[in-house]
């Protein structure tokens, strides 16, 4: 159990760190909650992967991931970049 908890924390932390770097160079909004965005991204990727593994004929993985990433990016980029 501990291993999986730490793995999840590490994934969220690495993702949040990358988003924070993007905040510093102004490619991500300064007011974006990078920890929340990181948790959302990690949760989505794990959930969609499970859905696809369980039902690959019905879950259009590439389309779903592309659409999610497009929405996430749109919510994170500064207004002037849209």
């Amino acid at each position: 159990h501990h291993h999986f908890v730490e793995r999840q924390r590490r994934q969220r932390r690495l993702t949040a760190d990358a988003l924070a770097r993007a905040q510093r160079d102004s490619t991500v909004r300064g007011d974006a909650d990078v920890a929340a965005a990181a948790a959302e991204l990690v949760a989505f990727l794990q959930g969609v992967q499970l859905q696809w593994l369980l039902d690959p004929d019905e879950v259009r993985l590439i389309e779903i991931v592309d659409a999610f990433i497009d929405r996430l990016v749109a919510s994170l980029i500064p207004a002037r970049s849209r």
Side-chain angles (χ1 to χ4, degrees):
H1 175 265
H2 178 72
H3 165 77
F4 295 105
V5 170
E6 287 305 312
R7 180 174 171 220
Q8 296 301 307
R9 287 179 180 160
R10 184 175 54 253
Q11 288 177 334
R12 289 191 312 269
R13 185 179 58 250
L14 291 172
T15 304
D17 289 349
L19 291 170
R21 284 192 301 277
Q23 261 183 333
R24 288 191 293 276
D25 72 15
S26 298
T27 54
V28 164
R29 288 188 354 256
D31 66 339
D33 184 341
V34 296
E40 179 182 359
L41 179 58
V42 169
F44 167 77
L45 291 173
Q46 290 175 353
V48 76
Q49 179 183 23
L50 178 60
Q51 292 297 311
W52 176 74
L53 288 169
L54 293 172
D55 197 1
D57 293 332
E58 293 292 321
V59 176
R60 299 179 330 268
L61 184 65
I62 302 298
E63 293 172 36
I64 293 167
V65 170
D66 283 349
F68 177 83
I69 296 299
D70 287 347
R71 288 189 305 273
L72 182 63
V73 167
S75 76
L76 293 173
I77 61 173
R80 63 175 163 60
S81 299
R82 293 183 195 163

